[in-house]
Amino acid sequence: MKKFLKIFYIVFFTLALLSSKASAVPTFVDSFSVHSQETRPNGLTFNNDGTKMFVTGHKTDDIEVYTLTTGFDISTASHEESFPVDSEDDGARDVKFNSDGTKMFYLGGTNDKVYEYKLTTAFDVSSRSYVDDFSVSPVGFPEELEFSPDGTKMFVLDNTGDDVNEFKLTTGFDISTASYVQTFSVSSQEGTATGLAFTYDGTKMFVTGWSNDTVIEYKLGTAFDISTATFIDTYAIADAVTNHPSAITFSSDGSKMFIMGRDESPNEIYEYTLSCYYGVVNCSDPTTLKEVLGSIESQTATAKRIVQHVTTPVLNRMDWLRRHRKEDSLTNQNIKFNFSNEMLASLSKVMPVAAKVNKASNLSDKWSFWSEGSISVGRVGDTESSSSKDINSNGITVGIDKKINENKLYGYALRFGKDDVDVGKFTSLDTSSYSLSAYGTFPHDDTKFVEGILGISALKTDHITQGGGTNRTGERNGRQVFGSINYLTTFNKDKFNITPNARLDLGYTELSEYSETGTSALIYDKQKIETGMISAGFTLTDIIEFNTITIKPSGGLELGLDFSPSSAATVSYVSDPNTNYTSFIGQDSKNIRANLGFDLIVENGFSLIAIYERNQSDNSHSNTLYLGAGYIPSEDIEYAMSLDDDDKVFFNYKRNINGFDITFGSNYSLMSEISEYAANLEISKRF
């Protein structure tokens, strides 16, 4: 009995240890034969989106090109064309490309050289032209070729010495700058090494071979530094591959593994799905993958960006009211929004155009109406740990406010915003937000003001990853509370004003837990985000008067310090929910915000507000345009300004002069890389 209990405890303890590790589960999916084209296949690689597959072999010494109708799905592969490379070297071993497919590298086993080619069309072997070659003569029998993503490191697998050889390139993907660095032996695990691959971040290395028909996994303490490699474990592939695995590669997002099997027949490529990123033996920490970390950072930054996009239109409104505080009509509402999104379109109907508001309203005449549209584009650059992010935001803010006296007022604003972020190559985050805020101006005297904003937001994010062999989706909700206090004082000299200011912005956001669906799906735990920014700057305004038009140009500069604390973001794999990975997302940074704008006021009541803002921080920037238009309607004059889904602004002017209807219309694409502008003029009369 005691012996039985002892065995039971040992087994239980062992299972407990095993269960505490994030184990990986490769699953065989399908195979694809290349036997008709190559009977001794040796090298295997894909283009970035997996729609092209390249195979080399030293039976034909050709590069075989296959087209996949679905990226990284070999069941959809078909042979496209063969390209002989035996004129350079008749011992074809491997082929690789640089990150954007404009360069090709061919490894030859007869002359022991790497050959560099330029491709005029990305990943089009037919467009190649020879550039240079580099001898890897320290390598006894070169078998496989790999590069780091930036091309500053090159690796050659030696089949004779069973080792991985590292070369340094002083210029990325320029083999003329290559020099030998070091060697790492894999002979203790594999006596006939044939295949080599790295994770995208270089923290894992994989080797295949003929001796044991396994995939061997190594951990690298320093990315792409093979001197820091340590053996982890092996994965047996003999059940799927009869023998002789000759190459290994992964989909660009690490969710699929492909192994080339070389035998007399059928010479097949074997496809596996992985339960987690690069999960051959153990699961990789997903927060070390650039696109995953980029996604986490984007969701954190979006919360902060929403606070900015909600408070800025309200601050613009209060600034406008100060400049017009001696006027009776403070309605600034004549911008029309044409959006296909139902929620966005419904919000644009909350406030009708000024003509309807001024003619009929259930509210007291003391209430003023306003609206403002905004369009913003920005980018966060690529880093060693995180993918680049392209940001597009637009929104509508509508509000009402009421003057208590010439300098004091309060009001309410409602904003709907769309914030779309493309992370890296495959991930998009589409966030919709509703925000309600209350605001007020509390003057100390005619020149000193304190402005306050307090609000709440509701967020919903659609998380979509497509390409790279995966299709993952998820939906995340969030809620937010924020506030802003702005102190400013105005110095006047004739019609010129300078207004220094100091502002404090605070926010708290709570993002809900959610799970992705799909391959290598992740679970995101609830995340709490605290945001804080203090900024100081000044605004310059002037008044330029003509006969019937008044222009009030303005410009400002503001230096901001983001002192937001780090936010803990915890994720786990759906396949292994008990193993958590936590990344602390730091948000503290300095930024400079500059703006230029103007008020245009026409004697008949038309007004136009346009503000361009540039926000620049350490590794990011954004450009934002705020638009507002208003008028006091008359019987013979009609103005309209509109903003649509395509970030196009439309302006229309209609007036009756001596019985003639004169209509002028124009449109301008604000954010198009290629300028798009159109205008038309119509004159008509009824007889």
Side-chain angles (χ1 to χ4, degrees):
M1 183 66 179
K2 289 183 179 180
K3 184 176 180 181
F4 173 80
L5 289 174
K6 185 177 180 180
I7 294 173
F8 174 80
Y9 287 135
I10 292 173
V11 172
F12 179 82
F13 183 73
T14 302
L15 291 174
L17 287 176
L18 291 173
S19 64
S20 67
K21 299 175 69 175
S23 58
V25 184
T27 303
F28 174 73
V29 176
D30 208 345
S31 62
F32 177 80
S33 177
V34 297
H35 188 75
S36 299
Q37 293 80 44
E38 178 58 65
T39 58
R40 300 186 71 183
N42 204 76
L44 173 66
T45 194
F46 292 84
N47 66 344
N48 294 335
D49 63 4
T51 57
K52 280 192 173 185
M53 180 173 70
F54 305 87
V55 174
T56 56
H58 52 276
K59 183 68 175 179
T60 61
D61 295 318
D62 289 346
I63 298 175
E64 308 292 346
V65 182
Y66 300 82
T67 300
L68 287 72
T69 55
T70 302
F72 296 107
D73 181 356
I74 61 173
S75 68
T76 67
S78 61
H79 184 249
E80 179 182 308
E81 199 168 354
S82 302
F83 297 96
V85 287
D86 55 352
S87 59
E88 284 80 33
D89 196 305
D90 59 1
R93 295 295 174 185
D94 200 7
V95 62
K96 290 293 185 293
F97 299 86
N98 67 342
S99 301
D100 61 4
T102 57
K103 283 190 175 184
M104 182 181 77
F105 302 89
Y106 163 59
L107 179 63
T110 299
N111 300 323
D112 299 339
K113 287 184 177 181
V114 177
Y115 300 87
E116 178 184 330
Y117 303 84
K118 180 181 178 181
L119 305 182
T120 55
T121 302
F123 296 103
D124 183 357
V125 182
S126 66
S127 68
R128 71 188 188 279
S129 59
Y130 173 80
V131 176
D132 206 349
D133 60 67
F134 174 77
S135 175
V136 293
S137 53
V139 181
F141 194 89
E143 189 75 24
E144 284 268 310
L145 178 68
E146 283 289 338
F147 288 89
S148 62
D150 62 0
T152 59
K153 288 192 175 184
M154 179 176 70
F155 304 89
V156 178
L157 181 66
D158 187 352
N159 181 261
T160 301
D162 297 314
D163 50 37
V164 181
N165 296 268
E166 178 183 328
F167 299 82
K168 178 183 178 182
L169 285 72
T170 55
T171 301
F173 295 108
D174 182 355
I175 62 171
S176 68
T177 67
S179 60
Y180 174 79
V181 176
Q182 58 189 335
T183 296
F184 175 79
S185 176
V186 298
S187 59
S188 299
Q189 291 81 43
E190 176 57 59
T192 312
T194 58
L196 174 68
F198 292 84
T199 58
Y200 185 84
D201 62 0
T203 58
K204 284 186 177 183
M205 180 175 70
F206 304 90
V207 173
T208 60
W210 292 1
S211 296
N212 302 310
D213 293 337
T214 60
V215 177
I216 309 160
E217 181 176 314
Y218 301 86
K219 180 181 179 181
L220 279 68
T222 302
F224 295 105
D225 183 354
I226 60 174
S227 69
T228 65
T230 56
F231 169 69
I232 300 298
D233 211 336
T234 61
Y235 170 73
I237 56 176
D239 291 341
V241 181
T242 308
N243 56 37
H244 293 175
S246 60
I248 180 173
T249 193
F250 295 85
S251 61
S252 51
D253 65 353
S255 66
K256 287 188 175 184
M257 176 176 68
F258 302 88
I259 295 176
M260 177 82 77
R262 197 176 85 190
D263 203 352
E264 294 299 325
S265 178
N267 292 310
E268 291 184 326
I269 300 168
Y270 299 86
E271 177 185 331
Y272 298 79
T273 59
L274 305 176
S275 59
C276 52
Y277 300 99
Y278 298 102
V280 179
V281 176
N282 290 321
C283 292
S284 297
D285 180 352
T287 64
T288 64
L289 301 172
K290 296 181 65 172
E291 200 144 318
V292 174
L293 183 61
S295 174
I296 295 172
E297 290 178 342
S298 294
Q299 295 182 66
T300 306
T302 295
K304 182 172 66 176
R305 191 162 50 249
I306 288 173
V307 173
Q308 177 187 333
H309 285 168
V310 173
T311 58
T312 299
V314 176
L315 291 171
N316 290 342
R317 169 64 176 176
M318 289 190 286
D319 185 51
W320 186 89
L321 289 171
R322 283 195 308 277
R323 298 196 299 271
H324 298 269
R325 62 182 184 270
K326 297 184 181 298
E327 300 175 13
D328 294 329
S329 177
L330 296 176
T331 288
N332 183 31
Q333 170 68 30
N334 188 39
I335 188 167
K336 181 180 180 182
F337 302 92
N338 299 308
F339 292 100
S340 58
N341 180 278
E342 292 183 3
M343 292 189 292
L344 195 59
S346 66
L347 184 59
S348 68
K349 298 176 182 178
V350 172
M351 287 287 180
V353 296
K356 295 181 180 179
V357 171
N358 291 337
K359 288 178 180 180
S361 175
N362 295 324
L363 298 174
S364 168
D365 292 338
K366 293 183 179 179
W367 287 96
S368 299
F369 302 81
W370 63 278
S371 64
E372 186 170 281
S374 65
I375 306 171
S376 180
V377 295
R379 178 174 176 81
V380 180
D382 184 88
T383 68
E384 291 185 0
S385 58
S386 179
S387 296
S388 62
K389 308 162 190 71
D390 293 309
I391 305 165
N392 288 274
S393 302
N394 55 56
I396 300 172
T397 303
V398 295
I400 57 173
D401 43 46
K402 186 175 184 179
K403 289 179 65 175
I404 299 174
N405 55 46
E406 188 174 284
N407 293 322
K408 190 174 183 179
L409 64 93
Y410 68 93
Y412 307 94
L414 178 65
R415 183 183 187 274
F416 177 80
K418 291 283 291 180
D419 195 280
D420 300 334
V421 184
D422 292 328
V423 182
K425 298 177 181 178
F426 307 113
T427 300
S428 64
L429 300 166
D430 301 332
T431 301
S432 303
S433 61
Y434 283 99
S435 303
L436 178 65
S437 56
Y439 59 93
T441 298
F442 310 96
H444 183 267
D445 53 37
D446 285 347
T447 60
K448 297 181 176 64
F449 299 85
V450 175
E451 300 172 339
I453 305 172
L454 185 64
I456 57 175
S457 299
L459 290 66
K460 183 176 78 69
T461 299
D462 291 322
H463 189 173
I464 305 170
T465 299
Q466 293 178 318
T470 63
N471 185 12
R472 303 191 312 277
T473 59
E475 183 178 296
R476 192 176 206 179
N477 297 315
R479 54 188 179 180
Q480 184 178 73
V481 60
F482 58 88
S484 178
I485 299 176
N486 186 34
Y487 174 79
L488 50 107
T489 182
T490 300
F491 300 94
N492 303 313
K493 186 171 181 175
D494 297 328
K495 297 177 180 181
F496 180 81
N497 296 332
I498 179 170
T499 306
N501 77 290
R503 189 173 77 254
L504 174 66
D505 297 307
L506 299 173
Y508 174 81
T509 306
E510 192 171 278
L511 302 179
S512 66
E513 176 184 340
Y514 80 105
S515 297
E516 297 177 330
T517 59
T519 306
S520 299
L522 295 172
I523 300 172
Y524 288 73
D525 283 359
K526 182 183 295 183
Q527 185 179 354
K528 299 177 181 179
I529 305 167
E530 298 175 5
T531 58
M533 175 170 290
I534 186 169
S535 54
F538 62 89
T539 302
L540 304 174
T541 60
D542 198 4
I543 300 177
I544 304 173
E545 295 180 326
F546 300 94
N547 290 333
T548 59
I549 299 175
T550 300
I551 299 175
K552 297 183 178 181
S554 63
L557 185 66
E558 194 174 76
L559 176 63
L561 175 63
D562 189 341
F563 60 90
S564 306
S566 296
S567 174
T570 301
V571 299
S572 58
Y573 289 104
V574 171
S575 59
D576 182 24
N578 296 321
T579 303
N580 294 325
Y581 307 89
T582 301
S583 180
F584 292 91
I585 308 301
Q587 302 178 74
D588 58 307
S589 63
K590 297 178 181 178
N591 68 78
I592 297 175
R593 183 159 60 176
N595 64 77
L596 291 171
F598 65 87
D599 294 357
L600 187 149
I601 305 128
V602 183
E603 191 177 62
N604 57 30
F606 173 75
S607 65
L608 173 66
I609 303 171
I611 302 172
Y612 165 77
E613 181 180 278
R614 170 80 175 190
N615 202 321
Q616 185 78 47
S617 59
D618 298 335
N619 189 39
S620 65
H621 69 270
S622 65
N623 299 296
T624 306
L625 182 65
Y626 299 94
L627 292 172
Y631 75 99
I632 300 174
S634 64
E635 294 182 357
D636 60 347
I637 302 175
E638 182 179 337
Y639 301 92
M641 176 173 284
S642 63
L643 178 65
D644 68 6
D645 282 316
D646 298 322
D647 296 336
K648 285 186 177 180
V649 174
F650 297 85
F651 176 76
N652 293 283
Y653 170 91
K654 184 178 181 180
R655 184 169 186 177
N656 184 277
I657 302 177
N658 297 326
F660 288 90
D661 290 325
I662 301 176
T663 303
F664 173 78
S666 66
N667 66 80
Y668 182 71
S669 183
L670 294 167
M671 300 302 173
S672 175
E673 294 183 1
I674 301 175
S675 299
E676 297 180 17
Y677 179 80
N680 66 281
L681 177 66
E682 296 181 6
I683 302 175
S684 61
K685 181 178 175 64
R686 292 185 179 182
F687 297 94

